[in-house]
């Protein structure tokens, strides 16, 4: 059933609350900034129909006649009767609603649409900090000064948070205030609009070095196909996904959601079909939809044999990888971080650094920038025509992908030896 913002009921009667824009001529008459209109005792469907018409009239400046001598009632609210004649009569307004608080807004925000657990948890943490620092005033009493103080508090050195973390927390609270203003009409404006925190990345991602890649490949996992026991590693995914990242530059989420049907043989070339064509498939941008030829080094290591071992085209390439709500590669990414640290590698390079590694290798191979963007799933630069109509031939992409070379880095054919055992 259709809904109408501001519609509410008291017993059998329906009412419509309209928040006047700041530049509305009726602001001088209705100091509260709100007009409450009685729609009478009627069905919800009829109330919505009447409410839409009355709301449009009010926003056009066609306010109902007032109680006496052109003055509003004491509360600044007037209730028109729903008679077809359009005559209005004054009535006592409904009881003023209790003060609204940001936590109530958070509850409605979580119910407004499907949100993953990490998103809700991050917003909830920011809300708790808001309540701690501000003392949790009602929304009607929340001022811009509160926002300035909260922003300074988030960035105080004693808190020990990065500028990005402070920025994210400020943004979550502002999102709730915007929701309270735009969607719920609980406040006349978003008082913290424009209050931002400049953030900077604490660590800049970089390519993997030759030594770091060799450290990774010399570990028992890749040297002996010794799959880890940790369930988050996803069995065979622990072996193949880092290698695919190293020789394709694909994002971890793109690789984890691959199905058997997404590995195609086209004109003799094995290809990763990175797509969002599926109910559970998600890509970062539309430009991320692409086909990436499988590097010959992966074929040498036995990737084609692994693919052929998966019986059904509908099966995941990594059936043992646990799925995390809202983040396809969440659990695997966590495991890879632990694995990397166990090898003596620091916070960086991480998995995403494979994208930087591949870009550098392609650039060193003098691959054109447009081809690099096509392989990595970046938005093409240049004119609109170049972005929309440029399609790269598979042969060009295959030639480009073979430019990825890592001198001084060797990988064992551990998977093939495993098949022979």
């Amino acid at each position: 059933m259709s809904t109408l913002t501001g519609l509410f009921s008291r017993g059998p009667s329906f009412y419509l609350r309209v928040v006047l824009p700041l530049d509305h001529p009726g602001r001088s008459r209705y100091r509260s900034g709100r007009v409450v209109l009685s729609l009478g005792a009627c069905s919800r469907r009829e109330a919505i129909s009447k409410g839409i018409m009355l709301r449009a009239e009010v926003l056009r400046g066609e306010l109902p006649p007032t109680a006496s001598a052109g003055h509003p009632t004491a509360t600044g609210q007037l209730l028109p009767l729903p008679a077809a004649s359009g005559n209005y009569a004054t009535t006592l307004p409904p009881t003023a609603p209790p003060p609204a608080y940001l936590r109530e807004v958070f509850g409605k925000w979580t119910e407004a649409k499907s949100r993953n657990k990490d998103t809700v948890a991050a917003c909830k943490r920011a809300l708790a900090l808001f309540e701690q620092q501000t003392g949790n005033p009602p929304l009607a009493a929340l001022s811009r000064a509160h926002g300035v103080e909260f922003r300074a508090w988030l960035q105080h050195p004693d808190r020990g948070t990065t500028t990005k973390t402070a920025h994210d927390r400020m943004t979550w609270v502002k999102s709730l205030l915007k929701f309270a203003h735009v969607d719920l009409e609980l406040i006349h404006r978003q008082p913290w609009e424009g209050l931002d925190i400049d953030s900077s990345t604490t660590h800049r991602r970089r390519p993997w070095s030759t030594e770091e890649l060799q450290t990774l490949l010399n570990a028992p996992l890749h040297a002996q196909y010794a799959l880890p026991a940790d369930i988050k590693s996803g069995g065979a995914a622990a072996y193949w996904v880092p290698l695919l990242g190293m020789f394709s530059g694909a994002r971890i989420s793109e690789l984890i959601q691959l199905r058997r049907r997404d590995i195609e043989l086209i004109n003799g070339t094995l290809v990763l079909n990175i797509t969002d064509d599926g109910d559970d498939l998600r890509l970062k941008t539309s430009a991320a939809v692409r086909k990436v030829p499988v590097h010959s080094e992966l074929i040498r290591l036995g990737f084609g044999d692994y693919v052929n071992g998966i019986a059904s085209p509908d099966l995941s390439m990594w059936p043992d990888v646990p799925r995390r709500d809202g983040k396809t590669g969440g659990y695997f990414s966590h495991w890879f971080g632990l694995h990397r640290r166990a090898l003596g590698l620091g916070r960086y390079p991480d998995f995403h650094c494979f994208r930087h590694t591949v870009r550098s290798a392609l650039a060193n191979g003098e691959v054109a920038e447009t081809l690099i963007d096509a392989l990595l799933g970046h938005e093409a630069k240049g004119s609109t025509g170049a972005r929309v109509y440029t399609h790269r031939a598979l042969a060009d992409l295959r030639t480009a992908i073979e430019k990825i070379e890592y001198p001084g880095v060797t990988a064992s054919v551990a998977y093939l030896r495993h098949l022979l055992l």
Side-chain angles (χ1 to χ4, degrees), residues 279-290:
D279 293 339
D280 299 326
L281 305 186
R282 302 286 185 274
L283 294 179
K284 186 173 182 180
T285 66
S286 59
V289 176
R290 63 198 189 278

Side-chain angles (χ1 to χ4, degrees), residues 292-366:
V292 181
V294 175
H295 195 284
S296 59
E297 179 68 2
L298 295 171
I299 302 298
R300 183 184 76 85
L301 296 175
F303 183 64
D305 299 88
Y306 175 78
V307 172
N308 290 332
I310 299 176
S312 170
D314 295 322
L315 287 177
S316 166
M317 285 291 295
W318 331 108
D320 296 326
V321 172
R323 296 299 196 263
R324 183 178 178 183
D325 180 38
K327 289 190 175 181
T328 307
Y331 286 128
F332 185 88
S333 179
H334 179 258
W335 167 80
F336 187 74
L338 297 176
H339 176 62
R340 194 182 66 245
R341 288 181 176 87
L343 298 179
L345 302 174
R347 180 178 180 184
Y348 292 97
D350 60 7
F351 195 96
H352 192 81
C353 288
F354 283 132
R355 288 175 65 77
H356 296 264
T357 310
V358 168
R359 177 172 279 280
S360 295
L362 291 171
N364 290 338
E366 299 184 348

Side-chain angles (χ1 to χ4, degrees), residues 2 52 174 223 248 255 330 361 369 413:
S2 300
I52 290 174
K174 288 170 57 181
S248 73
L255 294 172
E369 193 73 14
V413 289

Side-chain angles (χ1 to χ4, degrees), residues 239-240 243-244 247 263-265 268-272 292-308 398 401-402 411-416 419:
Y239 178 84
W240 286 113
L243 289 172
L244 286 165
F247 285 99
I263 314 302
E264 303 177 273
L265 187 64
T269 298
L270 200 61
V271 171
L272 304 179
V292 181
V294 175
H295 195 284
S296 59
E297 179 68 2
L298 295 171
I299 302 298
R300 183 184 76 85
L301 296 175
F303 183 64
D305 299 88
Y306 175 78
V307 172
N308 290 332
R398 181 175 181 175
I401 206 75
E402 291 300 325
S412 168
V413 289
Y415 177 73
L416 291 177
L419 292 181

Side-chain angles (χ1 to χ4, degrees), residues 253-272:
S253 58
E254 297 170 343
L255 294 172
I256 291 296
Q257 69 184 18
L258 285 172
R259 304 159 299 184
R260 170 61 183 87
R261 68 169 66 253
D262 298 324
I263 314 302
E264 303 177 273
L265 187 64
I266 303 176
N267 296 330
T269 298
L270 200 61
V271 171
L272 304 179

Side-chain angles (χ1 to χ4, degrees), residues 116-134:
N116 67 60
K117 294 178 182 178
D118 290 338
T119 295
V120 173
C123 188
K124 190 174 184 178
R125 286 193 294 269
L127 172 61
L129 292 173
F130 163 85
E131 294 172 332
Q132 174 187 343
Q133 192 278 327
T134 64

Side-chain angles (χ1 to χ4, degrees), residues 14 72 79 128 148-149 176 202 357 363 413:
F14 283 90
L79 311 180
V148 172
E149 293 173 3
L176 291 178
T202 307
T357 310
V413 289

Side-chain angles (χ1 to χ4, degrees), residues 201-253:
T201 304
T202 307
H203 299 278
R204 294 183 63 85
R205 285 191 167 106
R206 58 170 177 80
W208 286 66
S209 69
T210 299
E211 294 74 17
E212 289 164 339
L213 288 173
Q214 196 61 63
T215 296
L216 179 70
L217 298 181
N218 282 344
L221 170 59
H222 285 95
Q224 304 165 25
Y225 198 69
L227 300 182
D230 189 336
I231 190 173
K232 293 180 180 178
S233 69
Y239 178 84
W240 286 113
V241 172
L243 289 172
L244 286 165
M246 181 177 168
F247 285 99
S248 73
R251 300 175 178 91
I252 192 169
S253 58

